[in-house]
Amino acid sequence: MTAFPFSFRWPAWVTGCIAGAGLALAAPTMAAAQTYRGVNLAGAAYSSNKLPGRYGYDYLYPKPAEVDYFTQAGMNTFRLSVLWERLQPTLNGPLDEKELQRVSQFIAYAQAHNASTVLDIHNYGRYRGQEVGSSDVPDAAFADLWARLAQAFGNNTHVLFGLMNEPQQHAADAWKNAVQAAIDAIRKAGGHNLILVPGIGWDGAHSFTKLNGPALSQLHDPDNKLLYEVHEYFDTDASGTKPDCIAPDRAVDRLRGFTDWLHANHARGFLGEFGVSRQPECVKLLDPVLSHLRDNADVWAGWTYWAAGPLWGNYMFTLEPDHGADRPQMTAIRPFLAGGTH
């Protein structure tokens, strides 16, 4: 990531609305399609090799203009990637007040624009390189993080708890135990938010049923507010690293097995990451993919495209507008947003 020599300040009124926004604002307007429709906004998890890093140089939070552009287009959800180590510098210790304030300010501004925030711990199942579930980072430490976040945001229905981005645990059964500990901690702390549950194996939708389904189907939530989060990219190896893509019918096939699993388990899902390059044949994939999600909205709660934010530059997947103009992918997505026609 390029260093940026600035320090961004939010408008003063945003800080004042943090506490009261949850009481004063109505819930987001929901279109007939997906409940949650949005984008990943990157920046706060940048420079993960620099901890805690310098705010405004090594990492930064999305600016209000980013929220403005996407909410005006009809999006109502932002997946906000943050780092565990910045939020909680010491395991089982207090949350960092400045970092928590930055998160709170973003949530408040998004909420003021009738948008929800997925609070995404973007750590791949690790804390300072050590695996969750190990002796160095026991499940109880992961649960402690989420108990503290539930105390901070547990009364805000506009905040969804994304437990962990793409956990790299060695087995789904081991990861299940960490997830259950976090769910229990959130509910014990009084949090009633929706909880997004990811799976191992890069959280792939195409592999979820076999790799994660048997273990994660055993989870219990007294509030019955779990969303199973998956990611899916549409290049040949599903890595999201190549500009080329597979055929449109094959793209939907990568989702269909997970959709069937959701129906069979009376569960609900969330496509937390997906993206295509600007090549015309790849942009065309967005129509069948989003149509599949919309047509199965009884089990697909929503989606957040990967990704946007000015730090991405000319990244092949970006939705960040190009000098004010929509990217080709954004043009394809607009019909599936609130007020869009399709």
Side-chain angles (χ1 to χ4, degrees):
M1 169 186 168
T2 303
F4 286 80
F6 60 83
S7 178
F8 172 73
R9 293 183 181 274
W10 288 78
W13 71 269
V14 175
T15 305
C17 76
I18 294 171
L23 298 176
L25 294 174
T29 300
M30 303 306 180
Q34 245 67 54
T35 300
Y36 299 101
R37 306 165 310 279
V39 65
N40 288 260
L41 289 183
Y46 269 53
S47 302
S48 59
N49 61 330
K50 297 179 181 180
L51 296 174
R54 297 174 298 167
Y55 175 66
Y57 290 83
D58 299 316
Y59 72 103
L60 74 165
Y61 278 73
K63 296 181 180 180
E66 297 173 56
V67 173
D68 296 344
Y69 169 75
F70 290 109
T71 53
Q72 288 167 7
M75 288 185 175
N76 66 2
T77 308
F78 298 102
R79 186 168 179 255
L80 179 69
S81 301
V82 298
L83 287 184
W84 184 354
E85 297 90 349
R86 288 174 181 154
L87 271 175
Q88 190 180 39
T90 303
L91 281 182
N92 300 304
L95 301 180
D96 182 86
E97 292 184 4
K98 290 184 178 179
E99 200 71 6
L100 186 63
Q101 184 183 42
R102 292 173 188 131
V103 172
S104 299
Q105 288 173 339
F106 176 85
I107 289 169
Y109 191 83
Q111 186 172 340
H113 289 69
N114 289 327
S116 296
T117 299
V118 176
L119 183 56
D120 161 42
I121 303 299
H122 211 79
N123 276 71
Y124 302 93
R126 301 287 194 270
Y127 181 90
R128 299 190 184 277
Q130 302 302 309
E131 183 177 323
V132 173
S134 67
S135 57
D136 291 317
V137 188
D139 293 343
F142 183 54
D144 176 81
L145 167 70
W146 277 109
R148 294 176 188 273
L149 290 172
Q151 290 166 4
F153 302 113
N155 292 321
N156 191 337
T157 58
H158 286 73
V159 180
L160 288 69
F161 289 162
L163 294 182
M164 180 63 66
N165 180 71
E166 298 180 352
Q168 299 301 299
Q169 269 53 28
H170 61 283
D173 281 326
W175 176 239
K176 174 202 68 178
N177 295 333
V179 170
Q180 189 64 64
I183 294 170
D184 293 344
I186 290 168
R187 300 309 183 215
K188 185 177 179 180
H192 298 287
N193 313 60
L194 285 169
I195 297 174
L196 275 62
V197 175
I200 67 169
W202 300 102
D203 209 8
H206 63 278
S207 60
F208 182 95
T209 301
K210 181 178 180 180
L211 192 59
N212 291 288
L216 297 186
S217 63
Q218 301 174 41
L219 294 170
H220 172 69
D221 175 22
D223 282 16
N224 194 28
K225 291 183 177 179
L226 300 184
L227 300 180
Y228 291 87
E229 180 186 348
V230 292
H231 299 170
E232 194 62 43
Y233 292 93
F234 301 103
D235 45 5
T236 54
D237 60 359
S239 65
T241 60
K242 302 173 181 65
D244 297 329
C245 53
I246 58 177
D249 57 338
R250 292 181 59 202
V252 174
D253 285 343
R254 288 190 177 176
L255 300 174
R256 189 169 284 117
F258 180 64
T259 302
D260 292 342
W261 183 87
L262 293 171
H263 280 117
N265 286 271
H266 306 288
R268 300 182 73 207
F270 188 93
L271 188 57
E273 290 185 18
F274 67 105
V276 297
S277 75
R278 290 186 288 277
Q279 295 189 25
E281 63 271 23
C282 296
V283 174
K284 290 178 181 178
L285 291 182
L286 292 173
D287 185 281
V289 166
L290 291 173
S291 293
H292 178 78
L293 301 183
R294 178 201 59 201
D295 295 344
N296 291 277
D298 58 324
V299 292
W300 281 100
W303 47 266
T304 44
Y305 181 93
W306 182 271
L311 299 188
W312 281 115
N314 205 34
Y315 175 52
M316 63 180 173
F317 290 168
T318 187
L319 287 189
E320 192 69 17
D322 183 13
H323 297 90
D326 281 358
R327 298 284 185 169
Q329 299 96 319
M330 189 65 183
T331 299
I333 287 172
R334 277 187 182 270
F336 294 90
L337 302 177
T341 57
H342 190 270

